[in-house]
Structures are given as structure tokens and as C-alpha cells.
Amino acid sequence: MTKSLKVLIAGGGIGGMAAALSLLRRGYDVEVYEQAAELGEVGAGVQISPNGSRALDALGVFETLKAASCAPRRKEFRLWNTGRAWPMFDLGPQAVEKYGYPYLTVYRPDLLATLIDAVRAIKPDAVHLAKAVSNIDVREDGVTLHFADGTHADGDLLVGADGVKSTVRRCLFGDDEAQFTGMIAWRAVIPMERLPERLRDMLGWTWIGPGGHLVNYPLRGGKLMNMIGTIERDDWQVESWYTQGSNEECARDFAGWHEDVQTLIQAAPSVMKWAFMERAPRQTWSVGRATLLGDACHATLPFLAQGAVMSIEDGVVLGRCLDKYADPVEALHRYEQARVERTSAMVRGAKENTARFHESALATEEGAIAYMESEWSRDPIRDRYDWLYRYDVNTAEI
């Protein structure tokens, strides 16, 4: 049954497609407008913690995505120079036993493609490409999206899922303040056959050291290795996922780090770099019949591995609120209220992990041992992550 509301979604990324799928499955008419000429994600990895797997199951795509991803056995910390290992937490069957769903590591293009396929299976013509939003009108009785090509679209509700540089957010609230964090990131996806056997294990490693850290984990059933390294540097401040870097510059940033870190860097077919910018999470993001979702209202640093998961959760909760509340304006307000505390805590938690991963005490093994015992033993890890992973999009209060 098609419900009467027509929902316009600006942005065809992970958050926009998750919202589209959530609403289509509930019987709403949905149109997605993406500024790019073709749909696609950057070649990178994304971690889907158990709360994210649960949300994907609510969208009907968990099993499909699970088959295309990896379920690492555990995550470990490794010391930047000696490689000494500490357990972070068990994954795989242990995560299922504790939280009901596994922890998956996923190739971003596979996640987006899975969502797009599910959307098009319900409504084949739902997605419109090369539609860059130029302005919006929000009225008491509906919304209009205006596009750079001179066309427009009318609907009953608008969801701005158009990312950290959201045009919808700017139209609703004006320009936001983005602050440079003093960190840049390097990312690469490495074919597993380029790596020595010791680096092909189905584990997730977080290499931590003074002033930097590097994360690597397997993707696509072990065919690929994802790598993202973060280093404190203030001489380059371009916020773009598409800037080509060089293996040599990346290796210099991690000079003195363990041989395995250098091996990962040298094995990368190419490396991309971008500057981490920080935005305060919005406490309000709905105006009448328009709302925001994902990075458009609560962009986060990736140090809690919740960015994509947060936007998927948003999409499921948005659908639940539209079902529960007859007045669409109230539904959007309730969606915002249901999500604001959790998403703000996610953004804060990611920022707090920056210092934990880059702690100066990690400069020596003696300092690292004491620091890991105080900050990363079982109880602190449980306090920091259990509230994240136990969250249930299906039963969370709305």
C-alpha cells in the first residue's frame, strides 16, 4: 500500500539510500536526487558494528551485505614501533553472542550498491542523477527542491542527506563553522595478494602511537585490506576524499613506525589524503516539513567507527516516526528528539578517542603498558562501547 506522503531526499549516498529504503519499505512514495552524474562510493572500508548490522536487518539487506563483507575474529591494538598487541574486543561469534549481531567490515561501494539495489527493487525509477540542489522552499503544505539545471521537484517532506557540505542545511540554517582538527588522514585499499602472509589475517588492527594512529582491516571476504592512517599535521587543510597523495609522503608521515605499517603503505596501489575538519553536532535539524540526516547534521570523526552506522540508524528511526505520528511536522520533530542525544554522544566519543589513540605515553613500551591498562582494559572498553552496540533501532524510544 502506498501512503499519501511524498518524500524528497537530497543525496544518494549511504544515508540517503538508507532513508529511502526505510520509507519505501513502509509504503511511502520516495524520490532521491543525487548531484553526481552516476552513483558510487569512494573505494574505502567501513566498519559496521552490531548496532549497524541490526539496523541493516531492519532494512532487509543484512544477509546480502554479510555475504559480501568480512566478520573479523577480533580487534587488537598494536604499538606503533614494537608491534606489541593488546586485545580490544572479540568479534565474530562473540559479538553475536553478546549483542545479537556480528561486527562486519565492508567495502563502501558494496554497502551503497546493496542499498541502491534494494531501493530500485521497490521503485526502479526512484533515483535521479545530476540533480544538484540550488535552493529549497519549505511551506506549511509542502516542499520544493530547486536544482542547478533550472528544474524543480515538489513533495510533502524533504530529507537533506547531502553530506558534510549539505546545501539543504545551509538553506535551512545558514553556513556552519568547520574547524581544522590539526590532523590529516591517509587511506588506501590494498589487494590482499600484495601483502605478506602475516598481514592477511582476519583481524582488525589499530596501530596507536604519539601523535598518530593507523587502522587496517580486511574487506570482501579477505580479498582486500583497508588502511586508514591519521597523523597530526597542520600544513595541509583540504577537506576532500578525492585528493591523490603519494606513498612516499605517507611513508614519511609514519617514519619510525613498525615494519608492518610501512609494508601496508608501500603495498598500496595508490593513497588518498584529506584533512579532518570538525563540526559541532546540531541540536536541532528540522524546520517544518524539512529535516536533515547523517553527516548533514552530525558529521563525526571516524575514531568511533560510527559514521555510516549513524546515518543508517537515522533512516530507520525516521521511518518509524513517520509511521507513528500522523502530523508529518511532529514526526520530523520526534525523529530529531529520538536521535539528538545519541548522535551527539557518538560525535563526542569519536573526538575523545583522538587523544586516546595519540597519547604521548605511547612513545615508550613502558609508558604504553601502564596507559593501556588504565584506558583500554576490559572495563573502560565496555563503558565506551556497550551503549553503542546494544542500541536497537526497532525498539528505541520515539
Side-chain angles (χ1 to χ4, degrees):
M1 180 185 73
T2 300
K3 296 173 183 172
S4 59
L5 288 178
K6 180 177 183 179
V7 183
L8 310 182
I9 297 178
I14 290 169
M17 288 301 173
L21 182 55
S22 174
L23 299 178
L24 285 167
R25 283 169 58 87
R26 294 172 182 274
Y28 297 96
D29 188 18
V30 176
E31 304 284 350
V32 180
Y33 297 92
E34 165 58 38
Q35 66 176 348
E38 58 185 46
L39 290 169
E41 260 289 357
V42 295
V46 60
Q47 300 181 64
I48 304 292
S49 49
N51 50 303
S53 293
R54 185 180 291 109
L56 289 167
D57 204 14
L59 295 176
V61 296
F62 168 69
E63 293 296 339
T64 301
L65 197 63
K66 181 182 175 184
S69 61
C70 286
R73 299 197 310 277
R74 63 182 181 276
K75 293 182 78 171
E76 291 181 345
F77 285 110
R78 302 285 302 276
L79 190 58
W80 67 287
N81 54 354
T82 68
R84 180 178 178 133
W86 289 268
M88 189 172 181
F89 35 71
D90 289 328
L91 302 174
Q94 292 89 349
V96 174
E97 183 178 346
K98 188 171 185 179
Y99 301 113
Y101 283 86
Y103 195 113
L104 303 178
T105 54
V106 181
Y107 194 40
R108 288 185 76 99
D110 292 344
L111 173 56
L112 182 61
T114 298
L115 293 169
I116 292 168
D117 288 348
V119 165
R120 286 177 165 160
I122 300 173
K123 186 178 180 181
D125 59 349
V127 183
H128 309 271
L129 301 176
K131 290 293 182 182
V133 177
S134 59
N135 208 346
I136 65 173
D137 289 327
V138 182
R139 305 176 302 278
E140 285 190 10
D141 63 344
V143 296
T144 301
L145 272 178
H146 298 276
F147 304 107
D149 63 6
T151 62
H152 70 275
D154 296 313
D156 298 300
L157 293 176
L158 169 61
V159 179
D162 48 345
V164 294
K165 300 178 181 179
S166 169
T167 300
V168 176
R169 181 186 66 230
R170 179 176 52 77
C171 291
L172 292 175
F173 300 104
D175 291 328
D176 71 331
E177 295 265 338
Q179 303 291 331
F180 177 54
T181 61
M183 296 179 289
I184 75 163
W186 294 94
R187 63 175 174 82
V189 177
I190 307 163
M192 200 68 85
E193 64 266 19
R194 285 176 171 246
L195 296 173
E197 195 64 38
R198 70 180 186 279
L199 293 180
R200 299 186 189 185
D201 209 345
M202 292 297 104
L203 302 177
W205 284 336
T206 300
W207 299 83
I208 50 176
H213 75 285
L214 184 142
V215 177
N216 66 277
Y217 51 81
L219 304 170
R220 274 196 172 169
K223 295 182 177 67
L224 301 172
M225 179 66 76
N226 189 68
M227 181 197 86
I228 175 170
T230 302
I231 205 79
E232 293 176 10
R233 247 180 75 178
D234 61 6
D235 61 334
W236 191 79
Q237 300 183 19
V238 179
E239 186 184 30
S240 170
W241 275 58
Y242 301 96
T243 301
Q244 188 77 38
S246 72
N247 297 61
E248 292 72 26
E249 184 186 357
C250 181
R252 284 196 301 272
D253 274 353
F254 289 90
W257 286 57
H258 193 271
E259 174 192 359
D260 286 351
V261 170
Q262 289 292 326
T263 298
L264 286 164
I265 294 169
Q266 297 302 336
S270 64
V271 291
M272 310 293 274
K273 68 176 183 177
W274 81 98
F276 278 139
M277 308 299 280
E278 185 178 19
R279 295 166 174 83
R282 295 199 62 84
Q283 300 305 293
T284 58
W285 60 77
S286 299
V287 176
R289 289 174 173 258
T291 193
L292 302 174
L293 179 147
D295 285 348
C297 46
H298 26 253
T300 181
L301 295 170
F303 307 148
L304 205 60
Q306 292 293 308
V309 167
M310 197 187 318
S311 64
I312 296 167
E313 288 182 353
D314 282 350
V316 178
V317 174
L318 174 62
R320 288 182 58 211
C321 288
L322 286 174
D323 271 0
K324 183 172 180 178
Y325 299 100
D327 177 4
V329 175
E330 181 184 7
L332 297 189
H333 175 70
R334 296 284 187 160
Y335 149 68
E336 179 184 292
Q337 292 302 109
R339 295 293 294 160
V340 64
E341 183 178 345
R342 176 171 173 82
T343 54
S344 295
M346 287 169 148
V347 175
R348 287 195 304 271
K351 182 176 180 178
E352 289 163 1
N353 268 354
T354 309
R356 295 189 184 106
F357 292 164
H358 295 190
E359 168 63 41
S360 59
L362 298 168
T364 66
E365 188 151 327
E366 182 182 17
I369 291 169
Y371 179 74
M372 296 301 289
E373 178 60 33
S374 67
E375 284 294 317
W376 290 104
S377 55
R378 184 179 299 273
D379 288 348
I381 288 174
R382 183 194 62 226
D383 293 344
R384 243 168 258 151
Y385 291 90
D386 264 18
W387 69 275
L388 279 172
Y389 297 169
R390 292 190 185 282
Y391 180 83
D392 189 339
V393 285
N394 302 299
T395 59
E397 184 178 351
I398 58 171

